[in-house]
Amino acid sequence: MTATAEAPVTPPPIRDERVGRKSGLARFLARPEAGALAGAIIIYIFFFAIAKPFRYADSFASVLYVTSTYGLMATPVALLMIGGEFDLSAGVSVTSASLTASLFSYEFTTNAWVGVLVALGVALFIGFLNGWIVVKTGIPSFLVTLGTFFMLQGLNIALTQTITNQVASPDISTLQGFSSARVVFAGSFTVGGVNIRTSVLYWIVFCAFATWILLRTHIGNWIFSVGGSPVSARAVGVPVARVKIGLFMAVGLMAWFTGMHTLFLFNTIQSGQGVGNEFVYIICAVVGGCLLTGGRGSAVGAAVGALIFGMVNQGIVYAGWNPDWFQFFVGILLLGTILLNTFIQRRAEAAV
């Protein structure tokens, strides 16, 4: 009888847990929103330490409200930037939607909801027109929407003064349907004795929905590919024109929603309102990791960017700093956050 030699047993490979942790950390830091999250934590700790009101729940609820008013628009602006385009008319589009709903309902003595629907149509048309011109002419969206910005700004002021002989829309609180519209667009609820505006909840929901679109649908893949390389995207069958127009219309949709919130919260709207907010929306997206060249970014990052701006905005007030220096402080803190974001992104790329 001959003995059968047993095959040598190969020991299992030894796994270095440090490598796994390092690669996992590197993957997290490579996320677009990683730098913004680090900046948000630093800014929160900073104002928590120097501004006593910042530590109270009701004060932070105010921070979240301010954040939501910018975050609602920063979300679609971020998606548009990921798709490789800009919309400099986003700020005044919010005011245009508010004025349309207010003036239409008041002048024609209709239910407030009729004005809301008319404003929706106008806002979507503005977004469609911006996208259509960009796609059909090839003119950079920066220039197209800059022209739209000036036109809307002029229309907002000129039409309001022509119709009402003043620079603000009339008070629509007595119109039928106003109360129900206020509940929908500008309501509030209480949690633990703290009053929270529903705009905060809407902001979170819209951000989650945008994140789902980007990460879990083929439309999200289209958005990234269109922003990264529209020529290559078109070559593999991506409907580039429809994606871009759809993104501009998404900005219009959220401009309408934000405008309705503002209108039904204050009952009236100033015709010159909203100028400059378009840069805040873009800043929130850039702080959150969106590239100016397109193809990279996230809705979560834009939300964190809006949170940073909201904390800086209210934190300066709570700290009691001289309001004359407000814009300067905002610029320093936001620039610092962007630099931190860039530093973390480069370290993450070097670690991969």
Side-chain angles (χ1 to χ4, degrees):
M1 178 182 297
T2 59
T4 302
E6 294 183 0
V9 179
T10 303
I14 299 175
R15 180 182 178 185
D16 190 342
E17 295 294 337
R18 293 174 299 176
V19 174
R21 287 197 297 268
K22 181 178 179 180
S23 61
L25 178 61
R27 285 195 298 269
F28 171 76
L29 293 178
R31 292 289 305 163
E33 61 272 10
L37 184 59
I41 294 173
I42 292 173
I43 290 175
Y44 175 81
I45 294 173
F46 175 76
F47 282 115
F48 187 90
I50 70 169
K52 186 176 180 179
F54 199 81
R55 307 167 193 171
Y56 303 144
D58 55 346
S59 296
F60 198 74
S62 297
V63 171
L64 289 178
Y65 170 67
V66 173
T67 298
S68 68
T69 59
Y70 294 114
L72 285 170
M73 284 300 297
T75 299
V77 167
L79 265 62
L80 181 64
M81 290 180 63
I82 294 171
E85 305 293 348
F86 293 92
D87 190 347
L88 296 183
S89 67
V92 291
S93 292
V94 173
T95 304
S96 296
S98 301
L99 290 171
T100 299
S102 176
L103 295 176
F104 187 92
S105 298
Y106 188 86
E107 294 298 323
F108 292 98
T109 61
T110 66
N111 189 293
W113 282 100
V114 176
V116 168
L117 294 178
V118 172
L120 173 60
V122 170
L124 290 175
F125 176 75
I126 292 172
F128 171 82
L129 188 61
N130 281 335
W132 184 83
I133 293 175
V134 169
V135 168
K136 294 298 181 181
T137 65
I139 299 174
S141 56
F142 178 90
L143 297 177
V144 172
T145 57
L146 182 62
T148 308
F149 163 81
F150 284 116
M151 288 189 291
L152 291 178
Q153 183 184 15
L155 283 174
N156 290 346
I157 297 173
L159 288 180
T160 302
Q161 289 183 330
T162 300
I163 295 173
T164 67
N165 293 321
Q166 55 186 4
V167 295
S169 65
D171 189 332
I172 63 170
S173 59
T174 58
L175 293 180
Q176 184 179 6
F178 176 86
S179 298
S180 59
R182 166 170 267 186
V183 170
V184 172
F185 293 107
S188 62
F189 58 95
T190 302
V191 176
V194 178
N195 188 59
I196 300 176
R197 290 286 178 186
T198 52
S199 61
V200 176
L201 182 60
Y202 288 136
W203 164 54
I204 295 173
V205 170
F206 289 142
C207 177
F209 182 65
T211 300
W212 175 77
I213 290 177
L214 283 176
L215 302 181
R216 293 290 184 266
T217 70
H218 65 276
I219 296 177
N221 292 330
W222 289 352
I223 293 173
F224 281 109
S225 61
V226 165
S229 177
V231 175
S232 300
R234 189 177 289 107
V236 296
V238 175
V240 175
R242 281 188 292 167
V243 170
K244 287 182 178 288
I245 292 175
L247 290 173
F248 277 104
M249 292 183 70
V251 174
L253 175 65
M254 293 310 299
W256 163 79
F257 190 90
T258 306
M260 296 306 99
H261 166 73
T262 305
L263 174 62
F264 289 104
L265 181 63
F266 299 107
N267 309 342
T268 183
I269 193 81
Q270 295 288 327
S271 59
Q273 196 171 321
V275 176
N277 283 348
E278 60 279 348
F279 295 111
V280 176
Y281 307 147
I282 293 173
I283 288 171
C284 291
V286 172
V287 168
C290 289
L291 291 181
L292 295 175
T293 54
R296 177 182 171 84
S298 72
V300 173
V304 177
L307 179 60
I308 289 174
F309 191 87
M311 288 193 293
V312 172
N313 189 301
Q314 293 299 101
I316 288 175
V317 176
Y318 294 150
W321 292 353
N322 188 336
D324 294 337
W325 291 86
F326 174 78
Q327 297 295 344
F328 179 74
F329 290 135
V330 169
I332 288 179
L333 292 173
L334 291 179
L335 179 59
T337 304
I338 293 174
L339 292 175
L340 176 63
N341 195 347
T342 303
F343 172 77
I344 291 178
Q345 292 294 334
R346 289 177 178 175
R347 290 295 299 271
E349 291 171 0
V352 174

